[in-house]
């Protein structure tokens, strides 16, 4: 939790309380249904929570923004961002039922009224969103093909509506089809920990 306060020192009491209990809640649920590896649980706040919150160093979602967390897994980045931005609507989806079961339970336990979860494949989604987030998911081009047409046209934020991909390593080949539109943000510019040296967030307009 200290690492969260290090980079986000202005949390209000409710946000601080929710972030403070997050690790214990995940440890409890992870013991029943494994959604996070044991190795990653040892660096839970750095590898999962702070990594998710990196988006807040790039953009601020205005109240009422409608955000999809695609392939949420154990609830990242959606749950930490829902704690940080209580006036933003987050819909967390995954095709794996046991993961969504855990995510729904954690949302309920935290009392997050601005977050919902659903077991569904990306191509079956019928709603549209202002922004779509994807962390630890497949190649950018393939992902966009799955969710083509799911971005709303009217923008509420400083960035035009679109996609944010949490990525690592060399992205040169993966981003060649988007050379004129992609913006790459290196997380080592925001966080000093070694974990973030090769981590990036890629923005693409919808």
């Amino acid at each position: 939790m200290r690492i969260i306060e290090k980079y986000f020192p202005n949390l209000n009491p409710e946000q601080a309380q929710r972030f403070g209990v997050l690790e214990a809640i995940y440890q409890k649920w992870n013991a029943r249904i494994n959604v996070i590896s044991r190795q990653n649980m040892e660096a839970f706040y750095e590898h999962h929570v702070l990594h998710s919150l990196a988006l807040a160093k790039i953009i601020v979602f205005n109240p009422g923004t409608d955000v999809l967390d695609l392939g949420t897994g154990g609830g990242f980045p959606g749950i930490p961002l829902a704690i940080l931005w209580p006036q933003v609507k987050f819909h967390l989806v995954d095709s794996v039922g046991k993961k969504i079961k855990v995510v729904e339970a954690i949302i309920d336990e935290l009392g997050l009224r601005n977050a919902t979860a659903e077991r569904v494949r990306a191509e079956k989604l019928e709603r549209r969103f202002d922004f779509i987030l994807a962390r630890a998911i497949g190649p950018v081009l393939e992902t966009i093909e799955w969710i083509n047409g799911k971005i709303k046209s009217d923008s509420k934020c400083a960035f035009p509506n679109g996609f944010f991909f949490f990525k690592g390593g060399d992205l040169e080949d993966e981003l060649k089809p988007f050379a004129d539109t992609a913006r790459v943000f290196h997380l080592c510019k925001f966080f000093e920990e070694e974990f973030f040296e090769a981590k990036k967030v890629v923005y693409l307009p919808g």
Side-chain angles (χ1 to χ4, degrees), residues 14-123:
E14 184 175 59
Q15 291 168 326
Q17 188 274 332
R18 282 172 167 159
F19 281 126
V21 301
L22 203 55
E23 183 175 24
I25 292 173
Y26 268 95
Q27 284 176 335
K28 178 183 71 176
W29 280 102
N30 211 49
R32 303 179 193 180
I33 302 173
N34 186 257
V35 293
I36 299 175
S37 71
R38 182 174 297 178
Q39 181 180 1
N40 275 330
M41 277 303 302
E42 292 175 0
F44 173 77
Y45 280 108
E46 180 180 333
H47 290 186
H48 292 286
V49 183
L50 188 60
H51 189 207
S52 298
L53 295 178
L55 191 62
K57 300 294 185 180
I58 298 165
I59 185 173
V60 174
F61 289 142
N62 290 328
T65 303
D66 204 0
V67 180
L68 174 69
D69 177 3
L70 182 69
T72 189
F76 303 99
I79 285 177
L81 291 172
I83 295 172
L84 189 68
W85 287 319
Q87 304 303 317
V88 175
K89 297 176 288 184
F90 290 89
H91 190 53
L92 286 62
V93 303
D94 203 285
S95 61
V96 180
K98 69 175 185 178
K99 293 180 179 179
I100 288 298
K101 179 181 178 180
V102 171
V103 169
E104 287 177 328
I106 292 171
I107 287 172
D108 183 63
E109 202 160 336
L110 289 168
L112 290 175
R113 295 182 295 276
N114 61 322
T116 53
E118 180 184 7
R119 179 187 179 185
V120 65
R121 296 188 63 84
E123 60 270 23

Side-chain angles (χ1 to χ4, degrees), residues 174-204:
E174 187 174 351
L175 294 181
K176 275 183 180 177
F178 311 99
D180 295 333
T181 55
R183 292 180 63 184
V184 180
F185 299 88
H186 297 261
L187 300 191
C188 60
K189 293 184 178 180
F190 309 119
F191 309 128
E192 64 182 10
E193 286 72 20
E194 183 180 353
F195 173 75
F196 295 101
E197 283 186 5
K199 300 294 184 184
K200 305 171 182 72
V201 169
V202 177
Y203 164 75
L204 285 168

